[in-house]
Amino acid sequence: MASEKVDESLEGVKMSFTEVEQQKEVDAIPGVTQGDGIDEEQIALFRKFETADPEFHRKMTKVLTRKVDFHLMPMIALMFMLNFLDRNNLSQARLGTLEEDLGMTGTDFNLATSILFVGYLLMQLPSNLLLTRVRPSIYLGAAMTIWGTISAAQAATHDFTSIVLCRFFLGLAEAPFFPGAMLLMSSWYTRPELALRIAWFYCGHSFANAFGGLLGAGVLANLSGAHGISGWRWLFIIEGTLTVGSAICSTFILPDFPGTTRWLSTEERAYAQWRLVKEVGEADAPGASTIKEGVMLALRDPRLYLFTLLQHASLLTQTFQYFFPTILQTLGYGNIQTLLLTAPVWAFTFFSSLIVTYTSGRFKDRSIHIICLILISCAGNIIAVATLNTAGRFFALFLLPLGALPAYQILLAWVANSFPRPLVKRSVVISFANMIGNTANIYGTYMYPAVDGPRYLVGGAATAGVALLVVLLTLIARFELQRQNKKLAQREEFESNGNPTQSGDPEQAGAAPVGFRYTL
């Protein structure tokens, strides 16, 4: 009898020991108990996930990502397509009677194009900070409704001043979407998953260029003068109406953050958070840091300025797209044929993007992919300014987006991956880099004045030079992250020998979990 009591006592000790070990496993993940939105029920689920077998994780990951992909990716890609359509439809309207009807001359078109980005930049940072405190599904849907309304209102303009004012406010309204979409995706997907999702997100961009050309061709060919309204006015009305209708749907379809999305079960919400905690060491909770703390963490990080300059240069290599129909028209085709010819270029770019972003995620590489792709774009610029041969220039116009756009997509994933947590810091980094990066679109729109056609020597040569700058900055970023990875390895070796964490550690005294390395 005494022996049985001893056994029971020992069994109790064993159970207590097991619970302690499980608690240690959970507590070993920084930020689990400290982050806002992580309650006792979720901590219990985290313990379950820590001890689960690989088959459980495979099934849960498959179910979760399938649900999130279904709700997030088609809707966010459609929103991006309409975002870019409404931003870029001025270049298609130009092939109609826009300039004649509004009395635009000289560089008026360039000003009307660039003024959008002044408004766009002003709203970037405050908008993304606000997004960490409100439901993304409502916030992004509301922003989309406003910009769709303004886009349609451009049809009512009757002079140059009114179109410039509309474009400025269109930029203000569009500003929340792109950095907000990037922040939302990076809050759901792990680093290997994110690059491919950004490619799917960017399919909206490629479809906007392809579909926009087809839609523009159809509207200008068939609706010019219908009911006494010019074709370019119909273009703004149709695209703005499509945007407002899609915005209403988005508020019911888009997810919020992992801890607050209502159409996931409690276990799925906890697992969505646990995956990211396991990867980067902190829960992606909106209230984990104050806005002031997030801003200061970002501004004190030197890598912010390196990646901002890199994003700025990368965007500058893409300014050709705002004049793509105009450049393509130098091949000698009519307005409608020119718009139709844009479709295969962007369709090919889209499918190529899926391939290279998949390999980027598969092999966990960012920098080498960016360098190879941007050199393709550089070659396209050189060919475009070196020859007036129709076949040669059309080939060059394939190379321009084929290199520049996928490189930028991979760069966006690299930025989000390099500043994983906390959420507010990542929000600041994404919006700051996008804000300063997009200043390239203000002056970049003047790189292709009409008087430089058909060769556009200055714009093409300058863009080729900037592409080489992107290569240089990418190499610098790679070497810097390699240096950070070495410091992480040294810290782990130091701590594995029983030494306490160094308070002056560059990675914030052990904030990164064991085994974490930056993607190069």
Side-chain angles (χ1 to χ4, degrees):
M1 181 70 69
S3 176
E4 289 178 3
K5 288 181 179 180
V6 171
D7 289 342
E8 288 175 2
S9 177
L10 288 174
E11 183 65 24
V13 172
K14 289 178 184 177
M15 292 300 293
S16 298
F17 179 76
T18 301
E19 289 173 359
V20 169
E21 288 302 303
Q22 288 178 344
Q23 179 65 51
K24 285 168 66 179
E25 286 176 338
V26 177
D27 291 342
I29 307 173
V32 168
T33 58
Q34 292 84 357
D36 291 347
I38 307 296
D39 56 28
E40 290 299 321
E41 182 180 10
Q42 288 172 305
I43 292 175
L45 287 170
F46 281 11
R47 293 197 190 103
K48 171 186 172 181
F49 302 149
E50 281 292 323
T51 58
D53 58 57
E55 182 63 18
F56 171 84
H57 290 297
R58 188 189 67 80
K59 288 182 178 179
M60 278 295 292
T61 298
K62 185 177 180 180
V63 169
L64 177 66
T65 54
R66 188 174 285 177
K67 279 189 177 182
V68 176
D69 284 344
F70 178 77
H71 282 83
L72 178 59
M73 296 316 304
M75 192 69 241
I76 208 80
L78 175 63
M79 293 173 76
F80 192 24
M81 182 185 81
L82 294 170
N83 177 271
F84 199 79
L85 271 180
D86 292 331
R87 183 190 313 177
N88 203 37
N89 52 17
L90 200 67
S91 65
Q92 294 151 7
R94 188 186 194 187
L95 297 180
T97 59
L98 171 78
E99 291 180 299
E100 179 185 345
D101 292 349
L102 300 185
M104 297 168 66
T105 59
T107 59
D108 285 352
F109 178 81
N110 303 75
L111 177 59
T113 301
S114 63
I115 196 66
L116 178 143
F117 293 99
V118 176
Y120 188 77
L121 300 181
L122 291 174
M123 277 296 293
Q124 290 277 297
L125 185 56
S127 171
N128 240 33
L129 290 173
L130 181 60
L131 183 61
T132 65
R133 296 298 188 265
V134 298
R135 288 179 56 190
S137 57
I138 295 177
Y139 186 64
L140 295 180
M144 189 179 187
T145 302
I146 295 170
W147 96 58
T149 303
I150 296 172
S151 180
Q154 292 177 104
T157 58
H158 291 281
D159 54 43
F160 174 61
T161 302
S162 57
I163 193 68
V164 167
L165 287 173
C166 275
R167 299 294 291 180
F168 173 77
F169 286 107
L170 180 62
L172 282 176
E174 284 199 353
F177 174 71
F178 186 85
M182 291 300 305
L183 179 65
L184 187 58
M185 286 190 292
S186 65
S187 297
W188 282 100
Y189 297 111
T190 62
R191 290 182 296 166
E193 296 167 347
L194 186 59
L196 183 59
R197 266 62 181 197
I198 288 179
W200 282 107
F201 168 65
Y202 244 81
C203 78
H205 178 279
S206 298
F207 282 154
N209 283 292
F211 176 67
L214 296 174
L215 179 61
V219 170
L220 294 179
N222 300 301
L223 289 180
S224 291
H227 301 285
I229 300 175
S230 301
W232 64 269
R233 296 185 191 275
W234 278 116
L235 187 64
F236 288 136
I237 293 170
I238 292 170
E239 293 183 355
T241 303
L242 287 173
T243 298
V244 173
S246 300
I248 295 171
C249 296
S250 72
T251 58
F252 299 100
I253 297 174
L254 284 179
D256 295 313
F257 292 115
T260 57
T261 295
R262 299 176 181 180
W263 41 260
L264 291 177
S265 67
T266 301
E267 184 179 38
E268 288 168 341
R269 286 197 297 270
Y271 193 76
Q273 292 179 291
W274 177 83
R275 291 194 326 139
L276 301 180
V277 169
K278 188 70 174 176
E279 183 184 46
V280 299
E282 183 177 337
D284 210 354
S289 302
T290 67
I291 289 178
K292 182 180 178 180
E293 288 170 345
V295 171
M296 296 311 297
L297 281 172
L299 295 180
R300 286 197 295 261
D301 193 330
R303 294 172 302 150
L304 167 65
Y305 306 101
L306 173 59
F307 277 102
T308 297
L309 182 58
L310 178 54
Q311 190 164 331
H312 179 91
S314 181
L315 279 165
L316 194 56
T317 65
Q318 300 175 53
T319 50
F320 66 85
Q321 62 190 314
Y322 298 104
F323 300 88
F324 201 75
T326 303
I327 298 171
L328 194 57
Q329 198 174 34
T330 63
L331 299 181
Y333 298 102
N335 291 349
I336 305 304
Q337 292 89 337
T338 296
L339 289 172
L340 292 174
L341 282 172
T342 62
V345 175
W346 294 107
F348 184 69
T349 299
F350 163 61
F351 289 111
S352 300
S353 297
L354 292 181
I355 295 171
V356 296
T357 50
Y358 170 78
T359 59
S360 173
R362 174 69 177 78
F363 297 106
K364 298 181 180 179
D365 170 79
R366 302 288 186 262
S367 56
I368 302 303
H369 277 72
I370 292 171
I371 290 170
C372 293
L373 287 164
I374 208 67
L375 288 175
I376 292 174
S377 182
C378 181
N381 279 284
I382 293 171
I383 295 171
V385 300
T387 180
L388 293 178
N389 176 269
T390 300
R393 285 174 68 81
F394 192 53
F395 173 68
L397 292 176
F398 265 88
L399 297 182
L400 292 178
L402 177 63
L405 267 71
Y408 185 64
Q409 294 167 27
I410 294 172
L411 173 59
L412 292 174
W414 203 17
V415 172
N417 294 160
S418 299
F419 302 88
R421 299 295 181 274
L423 174 66
V424 179
K425 177 184 178 181
R426 191 171 78 254
S427 172
V428 173
V429 168
I430 290 173
S431 56
F432 184 88
N434 200 53
M435 177 179 66
I436 303 301
N438 270 285
T439 59
N441 290 308
I442 296 178
Y443 67 88
T445 55
Y446 290 89
M447 292 170 63
Y448 295 90
V451 294
D452 283 357
R455 196 179 291 271
Y456 293 100
L457 178 61
V458 174
T463 306
V466 173
L468 296 178
L469 175 62
V470 171
V471 172
L472 176 61
L473 292 172
T474 301
L475 288 172
I476 294 173
R478 179 184 175 88
F479 293 146
E480 170 59 20
L481 294 181
Q482 278 182 329
R483 189 177 69 86
Q484 294 292 337
N485 283 343
K486 287 180 181 178
K487 288 186 176 181
L488 286 169
Q490 290 170 356
R491 188 204 77 194
E492 289 173 11
E493 183 179 359
F494 181 79
E495 293 176 6
S496 67
N497 294 326
N499 297 306
T501 300
Q502 294 172 303
S503 59
D505 185 270
E507 292 303 317
Q508 300 178 14
V514 173
F516 174 85
R517 296 293 183 271
Y518 291 104
T519 305
L520 302 179

